[in-house]
Amino acid sequence: MILSTLIDYFFGIWVYEGSAKRKKFFLWLSILNNLVILFFFKYYNFFSVEFCTNLNHLGFHIKPYLINILLPLGISFYTFHGISYVIDIYRGNFQPIKKFTDYALFVCFFPLLVAGPIERASHLLPQIVKKRQFNYQQAVQGMRLILWGLIKKMVIADNLAPIVDDIFHNYKTYSGSTLVLGVIYFSIQIYGDFSGYSDIALGTAKLFGFELLSNFKFPYFSRNIAEFWRRWHISLSSWFRDYLYIPLGGTRNGNLIAVRNTFIIFLVSGFWHGANLTFICWGAIHALLFLPLLLTNQNRKFTTETVAYNRSVPTVRECIQMLLTFTFVSFAWIFFRSPTISMAFSFIKQISHGLFTMPSLKSFLFIYCIPFVLVDWHFRQNERVLVLPRNKIWRYSLYLIAIFLVVYNCNDNSSFIYFQF
């Protein structure tokens, strides 16, 4: 991290001050540096095994040389910080920061270091260089976000995690209805886990006077896959859009190029999550789900207002749209959660056995899921400001209940899913 931070700090200055030819040279050198670091630690073993396996199929007998080292904490995030910083300077959107300590803080700001959100220099660096003053209301909202994030993680995700693990590890022994329940539980688990972390990061940053980018905007209330990706892991999907999809041509050069670019961005997004073919398959499924919307110009249909805007309940049409989107997304999660593609297909095949039977007693965990969904629905207009009752008795009662639930569900063995990426 120190090496990456030093190199990108100086490359940013050289890109800004250099001639046109030198600008491009240092830009590509910066991108190459970050990608080589990311490749070596995260993808080297994967490609080494795949390369040797393919050669051995041709009659060779080569044993892959594997590196046995830990994945550096937050490497997938701070390498993207460095790349976007230098690219923005090259594009003329931002001037390089003068103080190295300010840039280093941008790269390794602790609330977002290990699992995002992936910040933009133009958004976070101006907040770093200016003098900040304590803001009571901002701190209150920060504490509320931290508490809500802890509930998502410790009460929802951590209670679902052992059940999900059991169902996926022993899927051949369960009926199809129980497997479907397991997929639903994992969909809620990964959302509670990752959005819970993001809420904690945003809330912690607020206590220091910083406003980070939103990472989740209630994605399971989306009405199609395109809207889902505008609401799920927003900082990553917008990063790929701005620094990969648009530079490749986006939709400007006809449908064929648009289809190609769509597959590239989703496959790269899948591979970003880890060196496993299951993640690539997960990305390919989302690309296939996105294409009909792209080709019919429906991908920008839901871009502004949230579902049931200024209404308490959705329409029947909106309910069907959200249910279909959630079903498609949950189906893709099977590949994301499975260790191998063959296991994912075997899991899907097993679902057909006993699909219409009663699921096992594991359905009791809906006692956590249903209130969670209802509370999320209440907050859906603004993910950054959690509106609570004005009555102090109600408000402080909710705080006490939330704190009790968090303390009661403390678990030393829990970890965030996205820490592995």
Side-chain angles (χ1 to χ4, degrees):
M1 184 174 66
I2 295 172
L3 175 65
S4 178
T5 304
L6 279 168
I7 290 175
D8 289 324
Y9 169 74
F10 287 110
F11 279 170
I13 295 173
W14 296 335
V15 165
Y16 181 73
E17 295 177 348
S19 61
K21 199 171 182 178
R22 284 171 60 87
K23 284 177 185 286
K24 186 169 288 190
F25 172 75
F26 285 117
L27 168 69
W28 284 107
L29 205 57
S30 171
I31 294 173
L32 183 64
N33 164 70
N34 282 287
L35 293 182
V36 165
I37 291 174
L38 189 62
F39 173 86
F40 177 76
F41 285 103
K42 193 170 180 179
Y43 301 107
Y44 169 80
N45 283 350
F46 172 79
F47 281 105
S48 179
V49 171
E50 289 294 315
F51 179 72
C52 292
T53 300
N54 290 326
L55 284 181
N56 291 339
H57 285 323
L58 298 175
F60 294 91
H61 300 284
I62 302 175
K63 196 173 182 180
Y65 178 77
L66 304 179
I67 52 174
N68 186 24
I69 51 177
L70 293 174
L71 185 69
L73 197 66
I75 188 170
S76 296
F77 296 91
Y78 65 72
T79 50
F80 274 32
H81 285 149
I83 291 173
S84 63
Y85 172 74
V86 178
I87 290 177
D88 283 345
I89 293 173
Y90 177 80
R91 291 175 174 174
N93 299 333
F94 192 76
Q95 293 185 2
I97 201 73
K98 292 182 179 179
K99 289 180 65 176
F100 173 74
T101 50
D102 287 340
Y103 176 71
L105 179 57
F106 159 68
V107 174
C108 62
F109 186 45
F110 78 92
L112 55 79
L113 176 63
V114 288
I118 301 172
E119 271 292 339
R120 306 296 179 88
S122 57
H123 179 257
L124 186 56
L125 272 171
Q127 298 182 67
I128 290 175
V129 298
K130 76 174 184 180
K131 185 178 180 180
R132 292 172 304 283
Q133 293 182 331
F134 180 77
N135 184 308
Y136 175 76
Q137 288 302 323
Q138 186 183 38
V140 168
Q141 285 301 326
M143 292 296 289
R144 288 179 181 174
L145 280 171
I146 291 171
L147 188 55
W148 181 228
L150 288 171
I151 289 175
K152 286 181 179 180
K153 167 60 181 169
M154 300 173 69
V155 180
I156 307 300
D158 286 355
N159 276 294
L160 291 172
I163 306 300
V164 171
D165 291 343
D166 177 56
I167 291 175
F168 271 84
H169 290 157
N170 305 292
Y171 66 95
K172 292 183 179 179
T173 64
Y174 287 114
S175 65
S177 57
T178 304
L179 297 186
V180 170
L181 197 64
V183 174
I184 294 172
Y185 281 168
F186 179 68
S187 299
I188 298 173
Q189 178 203 351
I190 193 171
Y191 169 62
D193 192 285
F194 194 22
S195 69
Y197 172 88
S198 296
D199 286 346
I200 294 168
L202 264 67
T204 306
K206 280 177 179 286
L207 296 180
F208 291 88
F210 293 95
E211 292 291 339
L212 301 182
L213 294 170
S214 293
N215 219 13
F216 287 87
K217 292 186 178 181
F218 314 102
Y220 288 150
F221 299 142
S222 301
R223 288 153 287 185
N224 60 32
I225 291 294
E227 186 182 15
F228 171 80
W229 277 104
R230 279 191 290 274
R231 297 178 176 277
W232 177 276
H233 203 172
I234 302 167
S235 63
L236 178 68
S237 55
S238 62
W239 195 99
F240 279 125
R241 179 198 65 206
D242 294 342
Y243 299 107
L244 183 61
Y245 184 73
I246 293 176
L248 287 172
T251 58
R252 296 191 303 270
N253 301 312
N255 286 340
L256 191 61
I257 299 299
V259 169
R260 182 203 68 180
N261 294 342
T262 298
F263 267 98
I264 289 174
I265 195 171
F266 276 109
L267 292 176
V268 171
S269 176
F271 201 49
W272 176 89
H273 285 85
N276 196 319
L277 293 175
T278 54
F279 295 124
I280 298 175
C281 190
W282 170 76
I285 291 170
H286 275 279
L288 291 172
L289 293 171
F290 186 87
L291 281 181
L293 299 172
L294 178 69
L295 297 176
T296 57
N297 293 320
Q298 297 293 307
N299 57 307
R300 304 293 299 174
K301 186 175 182 180
F302 305 114
T303 57
T304 53
E305 295 180 351
T306 56
V307 64
Y309 184 73
N310 286 336
R311 288 183 279 119
S312 299
V313 294
T315 63
V316 174
R317 180 185 178 88
E318 288 171 336
C319 286
I320 294 173
Q321 289 172 331
M322 288 188 291
L323 181 60
L324 285 174
T325 304
F326 179 77
T327 301
F328 291 142
V329 170
S330 297
F331 172 79
W333 283 135
I334 296 174
F335 290 87
F336 192 94
R337 177 60 179 76
S338 301
T340 63
I341 291 178
S342 60
M343 185 244 167
F345 280 113
S346 181
F347 187 99
I348 294 167
K349 184 179 179 181
Q350 184 69 19
I351 289 177
S352 62
H353 299 293
L355 179 59
F356 299 104
T357 61
M358 284 295 293
S360 69
L361 293 177
K362 299 180 188 299
S363 55
F364 77 92
L365 280 178
F366 268 109
I367 197 172
Y368 290 104
C369 300
I370 293 174
F372 173 50
V373 172
L374 293 176
V375 173
D376 238 22
W377 178 264
H378 172 72
F379 289 147
R380 74 189 186 283
Q381 303 293 355
N382 191 341
E383 77 286 352
R384 305 181 69 88
V385 179
L386 306 184
V387 180
L388 296 178
R390 292 185 178 181
N391 184 285
K392 284 188 176 181
I393 296 176
W394 278 103
R395 191 164 68 248
Y396 287 111
S397 297
L398 289 173
Y399 289 152
L400 288 173
I401 293 170
I403 292 169
F404 169 78
L405 288 172
V406 168
V407 173
Y408 180 76
N409 287 277
C410 281
N411 184 356
D412 292 338
N413 298 320
S414 65
S415 62
F416 287 95
I417 293 175
Y418 265 69
F419 280 10
Q420 65 184 293
F421 305 136

